[in-house]
Amino acid sequence: MISVLSSHGISVKIFHTMPRNFVVFLLLLMPSFLYGEESWQLSLQEWAQPRHGDRLVRQAALAGAIAQLQQQPLARLQVRYPGGDEGVLWAEELQSWLVALGIASNRIELVPGSSKADLIQLNIVQ
């Protein structure tokens, strides 16, 4: 049985469940990037293929990262690269290609410390 607040005509049951329902509603509306960091991986083997703009934008990791970055104007693309001279050269070449493809250089962050020596991790960060 639902009791009614006589002065307001609001169901007591509805009144008590509104805060909980409101929180659930807000959580459902929050963008997915707030729940976790978007991440892609680019292997050295994939990068070793001949490079040109058309091929790079079709590469799954780069296409996914670029598309997600374009949807979030305040986000940055973090390029986590392997250490050493080769890793630095790889990351800088990737950064140059991304700029050539239209990504602003101030939205690209190069960070050493990839989890593997033959892997670049691409992360969208706020």
Side-chain angles (χ1 to χ4, degrees):
M1 181 172 178
I2 299 176
S3 60
V4 176
L5 295 173
S6 59
S7 63
H8 300 295
I10 300 173
S11 164
V12 172
K13 199 174 207 177
I14 292 173
F15 182 75
H16 287 294
T17 60
M18 278 175 56
R20 180 178 54 219
N21 291 340
F22 184 70
V23 169
V24 171
F25 176 72
L26 286 178
L27 289 173
L28 291 173
L29 290 179
M30 293 175 78
S32 63
F33 64 85
L34 292 177
Y35 293 112
E37 193 174 78
E38 294 285 336
S39 182
W40 296 266
Q41 297 182 344
L42 179 63
S43 73
L44 184 58
Q45 182 179 4
E46 293 168 322
W47 188 252
Q49 302 299 316
R51 288 177 285 287
H52 55 81
D54 290 341
R55 180 172 285 175
L56 288 174
V57 296
R58 287 191 314 250
Q59 204 285 328
L62 291 176
I66 291 170
Q68 193 68 20
L69 186 67
Q70 290 174 337
Q71 292 178 7
Q72 300 176 36
L74 299 178
R76 293 180 327 280
L77 177 63
Q78 182 183 75
V79 177
R80 188 170 292 274
Y81 61 91
D85 291 340
E86 289 180 22
V88 171
L89 291 173
W90 182 11
E92 288 176 349
E93 183 181 4
L94 174 57
Q95 181 180 29
S96 295
W97 272 106
L98 291 168
V99 170
L101 292 170
I103 305 299
S105 61
N106 65 346
R107 295 190 70 196
I108 303 169
E109 177 183 0
L110 301 182
V111 179
S114 174
S115 62
K116 294 183 179 178
D118 63 346
L119 190 71
I120 278 186
Q121 296 165 300
L122 303 170
N123 304 308
I124 304 296
V125 295
Q126 296 299 316

